[in-house]
Amino acid sequence: MRKFTIKATAAKPAIVPYQKELNDEQRAVVMAGKGPLLVIAGAGSGKTRTVTYRVTRLIEAGVNPSRILLVTFTNRAAREMVGRVETLLKQEVRRVWGGTFHSIGNRILRRHAASLGYESNFTILDAEDSKDLVDACVEEAAIDTKARRFPKGEVLREMFSLATNTDTPLAQLIVAKYPQFELLTAPIERVDRLYQARKLDRNAMDYDDLLVNWKRLLIEKPDIAAVYQEQFEYILVDEYQDTNKLQAEIIDLLAHRHRNLMVVGDDAQSIFGWRGAHFANIYEFKDRYPDAQVFKLESNYRSTPEILMLANAAVGMNKRQFPKYLQAMRASRNFTPALVPLRDVEQQASFVAARILELRDEGTPLDEIAVLYRSHFHSLELQLELTRRGIPYDIRSGVRFFEQAHIKDVTSYLRLLINPRDELAWKRVLKLIPKVGNATAARVWERLAAAAEPLALVRADEFAKALPKGVSGGWQEFAALIAALLDAANQPAKQIELVLQHGYLEYLQANYENAEAREEDLRQLANYALRFETTEQLLSELALINTERFGAPGATVGQDVEEGADEDEHVVLSSVHQAKGLEWRILFLIWAADGRFPSARSLRDIEGEEEERRLFYVALTRAQDELYVCFPLLESDRSRQSIVQRPSRFVTEVPRELFEIWNVDEELAALEEPDLASLPTPKLLN
């Protein structure tokens, strides 16, 4: 057999001024030769620019664009990078394979679906489709969901997805992540088998199948794998620290032939372990590719030197990391990050709101200011304070706290206690009873509405006997809850706890994959309710968030995402996870208290604490000019006792001189210069 080799296109003289456009660190990456490359790109270091110029350089050196695979975490990012390459080269390069793992997997599977038993016109199921199909499989499996609360389709779908993306056996995942369903492992596995079979029968794949079947194709069909291993001469993967185990395995299989694999990411910004991201992918890359060249991008163009010194010191406490030190390319603005101890959570909210107004008066637009927090419920008091002061804001961490479905569920119980004629509250809580749908809820409401005392009728035996047979068991528990709530009249905190104890906690676990976070929200709401003498006072205060809007007052529903104002400018409120990749001139980080940030839940093991520290680092590096780290000194527990809060261990473990401590008012004068070094060393919680 005679072999013929198609020679690469001769390289043309360089037209892109790399010397001018890139710094030394970036240029070293762009000009690197063949072989595996690991690029550790610090926050604000021009990572996207470096990847874009690397693709440009490869094409300029004669590499056929169709032999380049560029994997990004959004299709938009890939389009923007390829568009920028075209601008630099002044030529069309659309043949570059650019996109997300799922979009590229879909493209390849469309060509080879028959090899796996599918047709090329397979349907892609979105999250809602997947949930509905899982629900149908539960029905087909004839599982008695009444005998014990069985997880809903949404929870099962998330369970199956996490098992797939972390390459964990389903039974093992249930024990580790969903222990409340451990006794249901066998029927859950049966549903999973039915779900997989049904998808194949119906020529459908869900999002995870696009990865699973892509990997299957590369392993089970060597002839097909060889085609793509030969084609993709150069592979570039962006945000590599966020890849899961399955994605990394696919890339390793594709890079087997040429080994020209460049992965770009920041181990210090690996913060999505709870979602399946595998930190070991980037941390152990050198173990899989011992000959890999390692580059570091440490020149930061975003933040002031003072902010970066704090960020470097904070993340430097982690044991598992690639050591790096971000260097500021910006001049100092003579503003040291502020550490702001506040008396309590109300004063924390007041300080943030007051300082925002000062900054606006000094000329800083509101949309250049953000408030970040570890968990969504940390924004509860702040949302109320901003509303009172008429400061418009956007929520980036989900719907407004009081408009979330689980918050509205629980407050609906309290509403019907105060106003037994509240039709919307009744219908909402009735539908939380097993086997009660819209039609049954409407019929029950008609009878309650006609009664002189609806709350008394609920507890009447003759009323329960008239209900449909399947409802009776759930109704007894509901009636017992109503009686307990009435006994706890004008104790709103206790009433919220009673709702949780009488079945709502189990409802959360069965219906939401983030049940633990939603429970935390409700515990915080119960704490917040302690300050009110009556249930009516609490409900009136909560109504403030719906009536004192920045536009015309109007009704809201749990699914609404309120934009905050009619004005063009809004302060951004966001969880740190949602803020990754973004930046603001002024940044407030609230609730920087131990047990809140880091969260108590994360401190169960050293890996959890290190991911929390990386999350803290991500928060700090969102700030450009000014950074305020705030924490309340006192918090009330459910027995109305004041608990002294410690500042976050991430604050106390860095040198004291990296902060300027702000004294907010005369009540905190004694804390103007607290000796943080004298505080006890934080211990890992068991």
Side-chain angles (χ1 to χ4, degrees), residues 181-232:
F181 298 129
E182 188 174 349
L183 295 178
L184 299 172
T185 298
I188 290 173
E189 289 181 319
R190 187 161 76 250
V191 172
D192 185 35
R193 289 192 294 271
L194 280 171
Y195 177 57
Q196 305 306 328
R198 272 208 178 195
K199 285 185 292 181
L200 184 58
D201 289 344
R202 286 154 179 73
N203 193 37
M205 298 187 197
D206 61 22
Y207 290 137
D208 296 323
D209 291 327
L210 296 176
L211 301 181
V212 171
N213 289 331
W214 186 7
K215 179 185 172 183
R216 280 183 58 204
L217 201 64
L218 296 173
I219 292 175
E220 298 174 12
K221 308 296 176 182
D223 53 337
I224 295 175
V227 170
Y228 292 100
Q229 289 167 342
E230 171 59 32
Q231 176 175 346
F232 297 135

Side-chain angles (χ1 to χ4, degrees), residues 455-590:
L455 293 172
L457 184 60
V458 166
R459 292 169 288 160
D461 290 340
E462 61 272 16
F463 185 80
K465 292 175 183 176
L467 295 169
K469 182 180 285 187
V471 175
S472 58
W475 187 266
Q476 291 176 358
E477 187 173 7
F478 175 68
L481 171 57
I482 294 299
L485 292 173
L486 290 170
D487 289 342
N490 290 323
Q491 300 176 65
K494 184 176 180 180
Q495 289 172 330
I496 293 169
E497 292 286 346
L498 285 169
V499 174
L500 280 170
Q501 293 166 14
H502 283 72
Y504 194 75
L505 184 55
E506 289 78 8
Y507 173 83
L508 288 177
Q509 292 171 342
N511 286 274
Y512 297 107
E513 55 88 18
N514 61 342
E516 200 169 0
R518 291 175 185 260
E519 179 190 352
E520 206 168 18
D521 285 349
L522 291 167
R523 302 286 184 198
Q524 180 65 14
L525 180 64
N527 277 348
Y528 180 71
L530 286 170
R531 69 196 68 182
F532 299 97
E533 295 182 359
T534 68
T535 304
E536 188 172 5
Q537 288 176 358
L538 170 66
L539 294 174
S540 296
E541 181 74 1
L542 301 190
L544 178 69
I545 209 74
N546 285 341
T547 57
E548 294 189 15
R549 312 285 277 259
F550 302 105
T556 61
V557 295
Q559 290 74 29
D560 286 344
V561 179
E562 169 58 34
E563 292 301 325
D566 295 329
E567 292 88 340
D568 292 332
E569 295 178 15
H570 312 79
V571 173
V572 169
L573 306 188
S574 175
S575 68
V576 183
H577 285 102
Q578 292 285 340
K580 186 175 177 293
L582 303 176
E583 59 188 46
W584 292 271
R585 279 178 56 190
I586 312 295
L587 186 76
F588 295 84
L589 179 61
I590 60 174

Side-chain angles (χ1 to χ4, degrees), residues 554-665:
T556 61
V557 295
Q559 290 74 29
D560 286 344
V561 179
E562 169 58 34
E563 292 301 325
D566 295 329
E567 292 88 340
D568 292 332
E569 295 178 15
H570 312 79
V571 173
V572 169
L573 306 188
S574 175
S575 68
V576 183
H577 285 102
Q578 292 285 340
K580 186 175 177 293
L582 303 176
E583 59 188 46
W584 292 271
R585 279 178 56 190
I586 312 295
L587 186 76
F588 295 84
L589 179 61
I590 60 174
W591 270 111
D594 231 38
R596 296 305 184 93
F597 197 170
S599 70
R601 192 171 62 224
S602 69
L603 298 176
R604 296 168 183 168
D605 55 58
I606 192 64
E607 288 185 7
E609 181 177 352
E610 292 217 338
E611 180 159 319
E612 288 287 293
R613 191 175 282 106
R614 295 194 294 268
L615 188 63
F616 186 71
Y617 168 83
V618 168
L620 302 182
T621 54
R622 300 311 94 199
Q624 296 174 314
D625 295 348
E626 295 184 17
L627 172 65
Y628 301 83
V629 178
C630 310
F631 68 95
L633 290 164
L634 297 174
E635 184 188 15
S636 297
D637 64 11
R638 293 176 197 128
S639 60
R640 297 180 183 269
Q641 298 296 311
S642 292
I643 300 173
V644 177
Q645 296 270 77
R646 285 179 33 79
S648 169
R649 64 190 64 196
F650 304 150
V651 169
T652 59
E653 66 192 9
V654 301
R656 156 71 181 83
E657 59 270 16
L658 296 179
F659 283 111
E660 179 182 25
I661 298 181
W662 281 38
N663 174 27
V664 171
D665 64 19

Side-chain angles (χ1 to χ4, degrees), residues 266-278:
D266 185 2
D267 59 299
Q269 295 187 71
S270 180
I271 59 173
F272 294 109
W274 52 276
R275 206 168 63 185
H278 195 47

Side-chain angles (χ1 to χ4, degrees), residues 34-167:
K34 294 189 173 187
L37 310 177
L38 172 61
V39 183
I40 304 301
S45 63
K47 169 180 62 69
T48 301
R49 185 181 191 84
T50 304
V51 175
T52 301
Y53 275 80
R54 173 69 175 176
V55 175
T56 302
R57 177 58 185 158
L58 290 174
I59 296 173
E60 201 175 44
V63 178
N64 189 314
S66 66
R67 304 199 68 186
I68 298 174
L69 175 62
L70 172 61
V71 186
T72 59
F73 265 74
T74 66
N75 288 315
R76 178 182 175 183
R79 287 194 300 269
E80 289 177 350
M81 286 187 193
V82 172
R84 177 64 176 151
V85 171
E86 291 184 333
T87 300
L88 290 169
L89 292 176
K90 299 180 174 59
Q91 69 179 73
E92 192 270 331
V93 295
R94 294 292 171 185
R95 287 177 298 157
V96 169
W97 282 59
T100 63
F101 279 95
H102 294 88
S103 66
I104 295 167
N106 173 57
R107 184 175 173 182
I108 290 175
L109 289 170
R110 292 290 177 188
R111 294 179 172 184
H112 308 285
S115 297
L116 297 175
Y118 290 86
E119 296 176 25
S120 61
N121 63 341
F122 62 81
T123 299
I124 298 177
L125 305 176
D126 63 18
E128 186 67 22
D129 296 331
S130 299
K131 180 189 77 67
D132 291 344
L133 184 56
V134 170
D135 281 333
C137 293
V138 171
E139 216 172 298
E140 183 181 337
I143 293 171
D144 184 1
T145 58
K146 292 182 295 182
R148 178 169 182 180
R149 199 182 286 274
F150 197 75
K152 288 291 195 295
E154 180 183 350
V155 177
L156 289 169
R157 182 185 63 81
E158 289 294 333
M159 200 181 289
F160 301 159
S161 178
L162 190 58
T164 297
N165 286 292
T166 58
D167 195 22

Side-chain angles (χ1 to χ4, degrees), residues 1 9 12 31 89 194 213 291 297 312 371 438 503 528 540 634:
M1 182 181 294
T9 305
K12 298 178 181 178
M31 297 299 177
L89 292 176
L194 280 171
N213 289 331
D291 58 331
L297 305 181
N312 285 326
V371 184
N438 289 328
Y528 180 71
S540 296
L634 297 174

